[in-house]
Amino acid sequence: MICNNVSLNNEGHLTFAGMDTVLLAQKYGTPLYLMDENKIREHIRSYKEAMLKYFPKGSAPEFASKAFSAKCIYEIANDEGIDIDTVSSGEFYTALKAGFPMERCFFHGNNKTDADIRFAIENGVGCFVIDNEDEMVALNQIAGEMGVVQKALLRVSPGIDPHTHQKIVTGSVDSKFGVAIETGQALELTQKILECENVKLLGFHCHIGSQIFESEPFVTAGDMMFGFLAEVEKSLGFTSEMLNLGGGFGVKYTEDDPEIDYEEKICEIAEVLNKQCEKHGIAIPKIKMEPGRSLVADAGMTLYTVGSVKEITGYKNYVSVDGGMPDNPRFALYESKYTVEIANKMNEEKNFVADVAGRCCESGDIVAENINMPKPQRGDILAVLTTGAYNYSMASNYNRIPKPPVVMIKDKADRIVVKRETVEDICRLDV
Ligand code: LLP
């Protein structure tokens, strides 16, 4: 199986985190998101331990909560003692409601509104990640009005193009995120931030993209960033205490994706980064990383009920499910690939090829293409694996379809952490 929290039992049913998925579908209904708390904690711990082992004291991961945002995840992050990255008032308000200490919260985004800035300062968000000059001006002014000196990092684009889907590349010179080193604007803006009375610069941040399997783009980004840190030190006399290398490690969605050992990768990257610092003549700062996907993706699974099965003679087959792009827009956006199983037919031969289609009035509403499966029928339970990242967090109400609930499993006990939306919820804000 694709991940060690997925297996099958004596009834020929798919299990997830040791639980029978068919029984969970019966208990909670479908569509249903499942999350495996022990898997999330396992990933957090392996990042934490590896970063402590291979990077200087104080280095640690932050959870990029855009991958999965609900109160439960901030409770887990708090319990495990890691910081979080948030990108909107909505995300950090959720964290606040979960009792997460706001001083351990980083605030990202390429266009924070004045209201966001004010709300974040009011609630004691620990560190802003400044994206651009307009934002710096607004932050300095609002922090001044509120009588606060706000800690911040500056987001820099190192000019790296990792080999991943173009829509999830973020560190190229022409990216909408951050300021470019290459054009000299990053250095200029650093000087301006250092002159701000109400902003205290701690260091720099970069994030090159997502679903990256190789070490090389991180190592190249490190080299660019340390070169930049050295230049800042030489020309502005500012020594960075922190460098955040962003997130981005890939996860195994299908058998075609490589397995990735995060500790091994971190060790590999750390070895090169330490040498790069020597080369650039600077002391290695505290290193932060911001994994999102790799902490939660394989800790998630989505269950659907099969509806109509359509065979278009001589063309193709569709298996329609009771969810689709509203709960998982990733095929529509990136043609993402997934592993799909018919949860109640795990011992049957996979002799039927079909696209898994959602229920929206939209041809692009496909969950997965060309899937080999036992021939399903109405009422079967279809499972899509590795949906813990960027599924619930990107869910919408397109076609006014209510969002599925999230059930968290821990030590073979299941609990609702996000309730199922109802049609009343859908109309709640209509006047
Ligand atoms: N830090 C920053 C500043 C980011 O923008 C992101 C992701 C991360 C960290 C976490 O990256 P990760 O470890 O998850 O790769 N919706 C897309 C992914 C977009 C990622 C956006 N930024 C998807 O479903 O594939």
Side-chain angles (χ1 to χ4, degrees):
M1 281 286 184
I2 190 118
C3 182
N4 64 6
N5 57 357
V6 181
S7 186
L8 78 164
N9 62 16
N10 293 337
E11 282 75 48
H13 291 178
L14 180 72
T15 63
F16 181 66
M19 311 274 293
D20 186 319
T21 57
V22 178
L23 297 182
L24 287 168
Q26 272 165 15
K27 178 168 175 184
Y28 293 103
T30 59
L32 175 65
Y33 295 115
L34 300 176
M35 294 296 282
D36 174 356
E37 183 166 339
N38 288 341
K39 183 54 90 185
I40 300 171
R41 289 181 186 266
E42 178 190 318
H43 285 316
I44 294 176
R45 287 173 197 174
S46 67
Y47 262 96
K48 257 181 89 171
E49 281 161 27
M51 291 194 67
L52 261 181
K53 192 158 147 196
Y54 302 113
F55 287 122
K57 196 163 170 256
S59 300
E62 276 157 34
F63 174 54
S65 67
K66 70 207 76 183
F68 180 87
S69 180
K71 275 160 66 177
C72 59
I73 203 80
Y74 300 109
E75 285 159 6
I76 295 173
N78 194 14
D79 197 41
E80 291 291 334
I82 60 164
D83 297 354
I84 54 163
D85 138 15
T86 58
V87 289
S88 70
S89 298
E91 281 185 1
F92 67 73
Y93 184 70
T94 311
L96 187 69
K97 284 280 175 190
F100 193 90
M102 283 294 109
E103 68 275 9
R104 289 187 9 228
C105 174
F106 287 72
F107 186 20
H108 274 281
N110 66 308
N111 189 23
K112 302 170 187 76
T113 63
D114 287 0
D116 283 333
I117 295 175
R118 209 162 259 123
F119 192 48
I121 297 177
E122 239 164 52
N123 285 296
V125 162
C127 186
F128 275 61
V129 183
I130 297 175
D131 181 89
N132 55 67
E133 185 165 349
D134 284 338
E135 182 185 316
M136 175 205 74
V137 172
L139 176 61
N140 190 39
Q141 190 185 327
I142 296 170
E145 284 162 19
M146 297 174 78
V148 166
V149 175
Q150 178 62 52
K151 287 189 210 141
L153 299 178
L154 172 62
R155 179 158 180 174
V156 159
S157 52
I160 308 286
D161 188 357
H163 307 293
T164 187
H165 195 289
Q166 275 310 306
K167 284 191 190 156
I168 51 178
V169 167
T170 52
S172 52
V173 175
D174 59 356
S175 162
K176 76 166 182 171
F177 299 104
V179 271
I181 296 178
E182 187 183 302
T183 59
Q185 285 162 301
L187 188 65
E188 264 171 46
L189 190 53
T190 304
Q191 177 162 19
K192 289 182 184 164
I193 296 176
L194 292 173
E195 286 160 9
C196 284
E197 269 181 30
N198 310 307
V199 177
K200 178 174 166 40
L201 189 67
L202 301 182
F204 297 91
H205 173 279
C206 70
H207 170 74
I208 52 178
S210 203
Q211 187 62 357
I212 302 167
F213 289 99
E214 304 87 24
S215 304
E216 178 247 312
F218 293 100
V219 163
T220 315
D223 201 24
M224 290 297 294
M225 292 303 291
F226 289 132
F228 177 68
L229 259 53
E231 195 185 352
V232 167
E233 201 165 288
K234 197 166 133 231
S235 56
L236 305 175
F238 172 76
T239 303
S240 245
E241 64 179 82
M242 186 188 292
L243 172 63
N244 188 326
L245 290 172
F249 280 148
V251 305
K252 190 174 171 70
Y253 285 102
T254 70
E255 290 300 345
D256 295 336
D257 291 325
E259 193 92 53
I260 175 164
D261 178 333
Y262 302 114
E263 167 157 6
E264 207 177 285
K265 282 273 163 230
I266 290 169
C267 168
E268 221 173 279
I269 293 170
E271 268 177 19
V272 188
L273 295 193
N274 283 315
K275 287 192 194 124
Q276 286 168 350
C277 278
E278 269 176 46
K279 177 179 109 185
H280 292 290
I282 54 167
I284 188 162
K286 266 189 275 186
I287 301 290
K288 294 282 203 160
M289 288 178 103
E290 265 166 2
R293 190 191 310 272
S294 51
L295 294 188
V296 289
D298 63 7
M301 178 184 279
T302 308
L303 301 179
Y304 301 101
T305 301
V306 172
S308 46
V309 178
K310 187 177 285 184
E311 296 178 56
I312 309 176
T313 314
Y315 288 86
K316 67 187 300 183
N317 303 322
Y318 287 102
V319 172
S320 293
V321 293
D322 54 354
M325 67 189 289
D327 63 80
N328 183 358
R330 297 193 67 256
F331 181 86
L333 283 167
Y334 325 110
E335 294 179 4
S336 309
K337 295 198 168 33
Y338 283 101
T339 300
V340 173
E341 302 287 354
I342 302 298
N344 53 317
K345 292 187 168 162
M346 292 302 287
N347 286 330
E348 291 185 23
E349 199 190 333
K350 293 186 170 178
N351 54 7
F352 186 72
V353 177
D355 284 5
V356 178
R359 57 181 294 199
C360 289
C361 292
E362 175 101 16
S363 299
D365 176 20
I366 298 293
V367 176
E369 238 179 2
N370 278 323
I371 301 294
N372 227 332
M373 59 179 99
K375 187 164 180 195
Q377 59 203 135
R378 197 174 178 87
D380 282 346
I381 301 301
L382 185 145
V384 179
L385 279 57
T386 327
T387 57
Y390 304 112
N391 274 232
Y392 174 65
S393 66
M394 293 209 296
S396 76
N397 290 121
Y398 184 44
N399 284 185
R400 293 232 136 180
I401 292 174
K403 288 181 197 160
V406 182
V407 166
M408 186 70 78
I409 302 169
K410 183 167 195 285
D411 302 332
K412 296 201 180 168
D414 46 293
R415 68 182 198 278
I416 290 253
V417 288
V418 179
K419 292 184 208 157
R420 184 180 294 286
E421 252 183 355
T422 63
V423 284
E424 285 80 33
D425 292 329
I426 296 272
C427 284
R428 194 165 46 93
L429 302 177
D430 292 7
V431 178

